[in-house]
Amino acid sequence: VTTYTMNLAKEKEDLGVDYNSLYPKLKKAEDVIMLNVGGARHEVLFKNLQKFPDSRLGNLSSSTIEEQAINNCNESSQLRNELYFDRNPIIFNAILDFYRTGKLHFNDEICAISLCDELEFWMIAEENLSPCCKDKYFVKKLQAIRETKEDKQTEENDQSCGWNLLDNPSSSIPARLYYLVSLFFVLLNLLAMTLNTVPSLLDYDANGYPVDNPDLLLIQLICLVFVTLEFILRFLFSPNKCQFLKGWMNILDFLAILPFFSSLAVVSQLDTQDTPDYDEYGNQDDEYGNQSIAGYDVEMLLLLLNMLRVIWIFKLIRYSTGLQMVAKILWRSMKELLLLIQVLIVGVFFFGSLTYYAEYEEEGTPFRSVPHSFWFALVTMTTVGYGDMSPYTGFGKVVSCFCAIFGVLLMVLPLAVIAINFAGFYNKKKQELEMAEYEKASRNVAKA
């Protein structure tokens, strides 16, 4: 049977080319058809292609206009006696195996997006993938789509000069200088906040109670004003305002700013009211000398707002590529971490309860209740072992041994998965940095 070469490389799919009209009529199922896919030649039994008549190669049997095929083939292509497709020859091996065996598999090294394009061209549905490869394919496809969206978003962000100045230190020398200034204010605020807790640096009011050092407080205020202006400018110059508000680093920036202004608002509100009486511990007293619940609530609110100031330490993640990498790896390993927490809770409850029932009758035992035993099981399973609690009975010591062994095994299994995620993410980042350096070098050569 004579078959012909179709040079489909020059034809675009979006033009709606009727490929069936280009193929000559094949008469018998035992006929052999020569396929040339991207330079790789394959001899295929036509009966194998007929197994899937809805696919592109399966539609060959519906071609009836041999004259059109002859008109679309030159003399040399007729002599080669083959059909040519300008498609990926490596992926076509998997397509050809699908026609022969009815099972569609693909190699891990094949890009999921490329495989999707090839399946669409050959008119083979993704549902035909074998179960061993289907889940892996869809995971890789979703990951590739997500990375493509991130790259597109990065390209959109790079179009804004103001955003590059505030968010991309490698874009220009002014952006690098601004990066250093911003980092300086963050470190200066952390230093002032730390020194403001040193007793020798604190000031004291008329009643002898310690108060913040005014100089250190002024430094923190200056740093806070700078960070607030930075946050506002980043919001104004961000290409996507909704995406900016959803970013977890921007949420941390807002939470770092919030405590100081909230504290000022609470103190200002108190100053507008009558000055209450406080006891020696700073608790507000009512007219009868009893501690006021409202004063206690205000005190706890101020304490909570002061504790939120430690969020400033997380602002350093913005200035460190390594810390950003660790944060992203932990986020991508959230399932493993949640599994670790679940198993840890089960182990703490189980071994803590056993230890309590083994030790609670002993005189002077620290295991006074099951929650106390939970603390012992937790520090034992996590291999911390403070030594503040230890069993005395033989059964309690045996339980503690199994608790420690179970804790070691518990920590190893999820950490191995996290280590694999870290290695893959690190290699990807390394490739991105090398590609960025290569592109930068290419631009410099082009300018020269």
Side-chain angles (χ1 to χ4, degrees), residues 116-390:
C116 179
D117 294 339
E118 292 298 314
L119 291 177
E120 182 179 357
F121 174 81
W122 298 111
M123 300 168 62
I124 298 176
E126 296 175 340
E127 288 72 16
N128 291 315
L129 282 165
S130 298
C132 60
C133 296
K134 182 178 293 185
D135 294 340
K136 179 173 56 178
Y137 164 75
F138 284 109
V139 170
K140 293 182 66 175
K141 182 180 177 181
L142 291 176
Q143 182 179 359
I145 293 175
R146 182 169 59 249
E147 292 175 353
T148 302
K149 289 182 179 179
E150 292 177 356
D151 294 340
K152 184 178 179 180
Q153 181 181 355
T154 302
E155 293 177 358
E156 293 177 354
N157 294 342
D158 291 343
Q159 297 176 0
S160 173
C161 296
W163 179 255
N164 282 335
L165 177 65
L166 297 171
D167 193 70
N168 188 6
S170 60
S171 61
S172 62
I173 295 179
R176 206 165 296 167
L177 294 176
Y178 174 80
Y179 168 85
L180 295 176
V181 172
S182 179
L183 177 60
F184 169 76
F185 276 103
V186 172
L187 295 176
L188 182 62
N189 180 77
L190 291 173
L191 178 62
M193 184 178 65
T194 303
L195 294 178
N196 210 12
T197 60
V198 178
S200 59
L201 298 178
L202 293 175
D203 281 1
Y204 296 89
D205 59 11
N207 297 324
Y209 296 124
V211 295
D212 292 334
N213 187 301
D215 296 332
L216 295 176
L217 193 61
L218 178 61
I219 293 176
Q220 293 184 62
L221 180 59
I222 295 174
C223 296
L224 186 71
V225 170
F226 175 83
V227 173
T228 303
L229 292 176
E230 179 188 33
F231 182 82
I232 296 174
L233 291 175
R234 284 172 55 83
F235 176 75
L236 294 177
F237 284 102
S238 62
N240 191 332
K241 302 296 188 295
C242 294
Q243 193 69 26
F244 177 86
L245 295 176
K246 294 179 181 179
W248 63 276
M249 280 300 302
N250 301 319
I251 295 176
L252 286 178
D253 289 344
F254 178 75
L255 292 178
I257 299 170
L258 181 63
F260 194 89
F261 288 107
S262 301
S263 301
L264 290 179
V266 172
V267 173
S268 300
Q269 183 67 21
L270 291 176
D271 290 341
T272 59
Q273 301 175 359
D274 294 335
T275 304
D277 295 329
Y278 292 89
D279 60 12
E280 58 180 340
Y281 300 103
N283 297 321
Q284 181 183 349
D285 294 341
D286 59 15
E287 57 181 346
Y288 301 105
N290 299 320
Q291 183 176 334
S292 172
I293 297 178
Y296 180 78
D297 292 341
V298 172
E299 180 186 359
M300 293 302 298
L301 177 60
L302 292 175
L303 178 61
L304 177 62
L305 293 176
N306 286 330
M307 291 176 60
L308 287 177
R309 293 184 183 182
V310 299
I311 295 178
W312 274 78
I313 191 64
F314 293 107
K315 289 180 64 64
L316 293 178
I317 297 177
R318 185 186 300 279
Y319 306 97
S320 173
T321 305
L323 291 177
Q324 292 178 11
M325 185 183 303
V326 171
K328 291 182 179 179
I329 291 171
L330 291 177
W331 178 254
R332 293 190 177 185
S333 305
M334 189 59 64
K335 292 183 179 179
E336 290 77 14
L337 293 176
L338 291 177
L339 176 61
L340 173 63
I341 294 174
Q342 293 175 11
V343 179
L344 184 63
I345 292 174
V346 173
V348 166
F349 191 91
F350 178 74
F351 290 107
S353 300
L354 286 181
T355 307
Y356 168 74
Y357 290 113
E359 298 288 330
Y360 78 99
E361 292 183 349
E362 294 295 317
E363 185 178 355
T365 179
F367 301 92
R368 298 186 298 274
S369 64
V370 173
H372 284 85
S373 301
F374 285 170
W375 168 254
F376 167 77
L378 179 62
V379 297
T380 303
M381 291 180 63
T382 54
T383 68
V384 177
Y386 288 115
D388 54 342
M389 300 174 66
S390 59

Side-chain angles (χ1 to χ4, degrees), residues 384-444:
V384 177
Y386 288 115
D388 54 342
M389 300 174 66
S390 59
Y392 295 101
T393 64
F395 181 68
K397 293 180 180 179
V398 172
V399 173
S400 301
C401 292
F402 281 103
C403 180
I405 295 173
F406 181 78
V408 172
L409 297 177
L410 171 68
M411 298 297 293
V412 168
L413 296 178
L415 289 179
V417 179
I418 296 175
I420 294 175
N421 294 339
F422 178 82
F425 191 81
Y426 176 79
N427 292 331
K428 179 184 175 182
K429 278 295 182 182
K430 185 177 180 181
Q431 293 176 359
E432 291 178 356
L433 292 175
E434 291 176 352
M435 182 60 65
E437 292 179 358
Y438 173 77
E439 293 177 354
K440 184 177 180 180
S442 300
R443 288 195 297 267
N444 293 335

Side-chain angles (χ1 to χ4, degrees), residues 13-55:
E13 298 179 33
D14 54 359
L15 296 179
V17 180
D18 185 8
Y19 288 94
N20 297 332
S21 64
L22 304 180
Y23 302 139
K25 178 72 174 179
L26 295 173
K27 304 296 184 182
K28 301 178 182 179
E30 291 77 11
D31 290 339
V32 176
I33 181 173
M34 178 73 75
L35 301 177
N36 186 334
V37 180
R41 292 182 171 84
H42 304 272
E43 293 185 1
V44 187
L45 289 175
F46 184 66
K47 65 179 181 180
N48 290 335
L49 304 182
Q50 287 181 318
K51 295 179 181 178
F52 303 96
D54 294 333
S55 64

